[in-house]
Amino acid sequence: MIPAQLHLTLPLWLRDKVDDTRLYADDDAKIALAIELARGNVENRGGGPFGAAVFTGEGRLVAVGVNRVVPQSCSAAHAEMMAFMLAQQRLQRFRLNEDGAKFILATSAQPCCQCYGATVWAGVDELLIGARSEDVEELSEFDEGPLPADWIGELKKRGIAVRRDIRRDEARQVFVRYRELGGAAY
């Protein structure tokens, strides 16, 4: 019989790491959380070295995600995708900002081609990035896929502001640690 339901989960260790009552007032705090999620995923061997979080414009945490591709046997289970899906489920809308409210995605590393596409449609107004895609490819075995030559400009045309290199060195260190622990072996 063909499956009729999809079930993706975040690792249990996240419950102790995430404070959804806190106000994440600035870009640095938002990216710090995304990097901490990525680091925790590596240290707990929960999946790949990526973390993401969706915030309201005021800095309230809506949802988080970490990479779950290998443990969930699902190529779509990237950190950004998990955060988007959980935020959309929590708010019961497929486009987060459909009512004019502002939403922000903070991600430990630049979105790959899949997550870039989802960012266009998910309804976020800002994209905050730690490590660049060239950092990811330099420090790991991941292929981030093709993006438009002016990917930042394409997002800007769609009303999505991009800020990157926020805590970049710290975000790069997560990939170094991932490699030290054996990388894709888990």
Side-chain angles (χ1 to χ4, degrees):
M1 175 177 250
I2 295 176
Q5 183 175 338
L6 176 65
H7 184 78
L8 298 174
T9 60
L10 292 176
L12 293 177
W13 64 263
L14 273 174
R15 292 180 185 177
D16 297 329
K17 291 280 186 186
V18 177
D19 181 359
D20 65 351
T21 65
R22 177 182 163 198
L23 181 67
Y24 295 82
D26 59 22
D27 295 352
D28 193 70
K30 293 174 183 79
I31 285 293
L33 175 61
I35 293 169
E36 183 59 31
L37 295 169
R39 184 181 302 111
N41 212 35
V42 169
E43 296 297 338
N44 290 287
R45 298 181 187 264
F50 300 92
V54 174
F55 300 89
T56 65
E58 297 78 33
R60 297 279 174 209
L61 184 62
V62 178
V64 299
V66 292
N67 182 283
R68 299 290 287 160
V69 169
V70 173
Q72 301 281 286
S73 300
C74 179
S75 64
H78 289 198
E80 298 92 338
M81 302 295 285
M82 297 292 285
F84 283 148
M85 290 185 286
L86 289 165
Q88 291 163 340
Q89 183 179 57
R90 181 177 185 182
L91 300 176
Q92 289 297 291
R93 51 186 170 203
F94 66 89
R95 188 157 181 85
L96 296 172
N97 62 2
E98 69 185 14
D99 65 355
K102 179 179 171 183
F103 288 88
I104 301 161
L105 174 68
T107 182
S108 63
Q110 180 179 317
C112 68
C113 59
Q114 171 183 254
C115 297
Y116 170 84
T119 299
V120 170
W121 304 121
V124 295
D125 304 282
E126 294 181 33
L127 171 60
L128 309 177
I129 301 169
R132 292 184 177 210
S133 64
E134 53 263 34
D135 300 329
V136 173
E137 291 181 352
E138 170 195 339
L139 298 169
S140 73
E141 74 285 357
F142 297 107
D143 175 358
E144 295 299 274
L147 291 177
D150 183 20
W151 63 272
I152 293 174
E154 290 295 327
L155 290 176
K156 186 177 179 181
K157 280 193 243 179
R158 290 163 173 82
I160 303 168
V162 176
R163 283 188 290 293
R164 59 185 185 162
D165 298 337
I166 305 166
R167 301 179 81 137
R168 182 178 180 188
D169 291 336
E170 185 181 344
R172 285 175 51 90
Q173 288 307 307
V174 174
F175 292 94
V176 171
R177 183 67 176 145
Y178 178 73
R179 189 172 56 201
E180 289 171 356
L181 291 175
Y186 61 90

